[in-house]
Amino acid sequence: MLAKEKHLQEVLKRRRALEIQCAGELAGKSRIVLEIGCGHGHFLTAFAQTHGDRFCLGIDLLSRRIRLANEKRNKRGLSNLLFIKAEGIEILNAMPEGVSLETIFLLFPDPWPKKRHHRRRLMQAEFLGKLAQRTIAGGRIFFRTDHAEYFQWCAKRISEHSEWDLGQEVAWPFEVGTYFQDLMESFYSLSAIRAGPSR
Ligand SMILES: C[S@@+](CC[C@H](N)C(=O)[O-])C[C@H]1O[C@@H](n2cnc3c(N)ncnc32)[C@H](O)[C@@H]1O
């Protein structure tokens, strides 16, 4: 089998496994609080602990980070919190029908500063569209970064997108520093509101 074909089969197998996991763990959940790129889960664990009525889902690409995040969750016995190893767009595709999001945190995502790497940035029209399909009207993205150029770039992508409105001022809903935030001297925050018809 060609290497390319083998890679494709592995991707499809991984996506199928994610769909099965999401069907088992997310079916029937609504108004989820989603953190994409949650790292070790420090922020979302603290959020879930103080918002017992909200179901919180953290995802990250790296297995070790997800394992550590789930250890935090288990130590605190939080039944309203779950961490899954997944990629940002893949999790949105894998969620079962009817699952909805209310709050999305994107905290210090990789800024990919070199121009030739900008296509790897998460905040692209495709991502915003898929996120919008899952988010209830009035739902919000909360985005934070230390990277000024990436901040402007993301604000532009959001303002150009028909399904999201840039919030005029940011009332940050929960202030607990993330691992990266605590390393930074300053940072920029924005929020975006899901516009248009409700799901
Ligand atoms: C710079 S770290 C920030 C971690 C954490 N949010 C913080 O502020 O400490 C970015 C995280 O996003 C994860 N990540 C990068 N691209 C991702 C993607 N497309 N989907 C999900 N996670 C992603 C990385 O594995 C990493 O843990």
Side-chain angles (χ1 to χ4, degrees):
M1 194 189 299
L2 290 174
K4 205 171 161 188
E5 218 177 293
K6 196 173 166 208
H7 173 70
L8 186 66
Q9 285 199 2
E10 279 164 10
V11 170
L12 292 175
K13 197 171 150 193
R14 188 188 69 228
R15 288 183 183 165
R16 184 72 198 121
L18 184 61
E19 271 174 22
I20 293 169
Q21 183 178 12
C22 287
E25 300 190 292
L26 301 180
K29 299 275 191 268
S30 58
R31 307 175 85 99
I32 293 175
V33 178
L34 172 67
E35 186 185 358
I36 299 177
C38 63
H40 298 168
H42 179 77
F43 174 85
L44 200 60
T45 301
F47 185 96
Q49 213 163 4
T50 52
H51 298 75
D53 58 333
R54 312 287 305 277
F55 181 78
C56 303
L57 171 65
I59 64 146
D60 200 284
L61 284 177
L62 300 181
S63 307
R64 183 170 176 277
R65 294 186 179 174
I66 290 301
R67 185 169 48 75
L68 292 173
N70 272 321
E71 279 174 17
K72 279 196 184 72
R73 165 205 187 252
N74 295 340
K75 222 184 226 173
R76 291 165 181 78
L78 296 171
S79 58
N80 62 328
L81 175 63
L82 182 65
F83 292 102
I84 294 180
K85 177 184 181 303
E87 194 279 328
I89 291 187
E90 285 187 356
I91 192 83
L92 297 171
N93 287 335
M95 284 176 176
E97 195 50 38
V99 165
S100 67
L101 307 175
E102 186 180 53
T103 305
I104 302 101
F105 288 106
L106 268 164
L107 308 175
F108 300 88
D110 299 325
W112 295 107
K114 290 183 184 153
K115 196 156 188 188
R116 70 175 187 278
H117 291 153
H118 284 186
R119 66 194 161 80
R120 299 184 188 172
R121 290 175 165 178
L122 194 53
M123 197 76 89
Q124 311 273 354
E126 183 200 358
F127 171 71
L128 286 167
K130 286 194 181 292
L131 206 50
Q133 282 170 19
R134 292 286 182 184
T135 305
I136 60 166
R140 277 180 184 257
I141 299 172
F142 292 95
F143 169 82
R144 193 167 260 185
T145 182
D146 59 301
H147 196 280
E149 186 272 331
Y150 186 39
F151 181 75
Q152 295 302 338
W153 195 90
C154 289
K156 187 161 187 291
R157 294 297 166 298
I158 291 169
S159 64
E160 286 169 354
H161 203 281
S162 61
E163 291 166 300
W164 293 99
D165 290 332
L166 264 187
Q168 290 309 303
E169 53 187 60
V170 185
W172 205 253
F174 185 66
E175 280 296 357
V176 163
T178 70
Y179 176 79
F180 271 75
Q181 182 171 320
D182 291 345
L183 300 175
M184 304 302 166
E185 280 180 10
S186 62
F187 48 81
Y188 311 87
S189 308
L190 67 75
S191 81
I193 305 167
R194 172 71 169 94
S198 184
R199 285 171 41 82

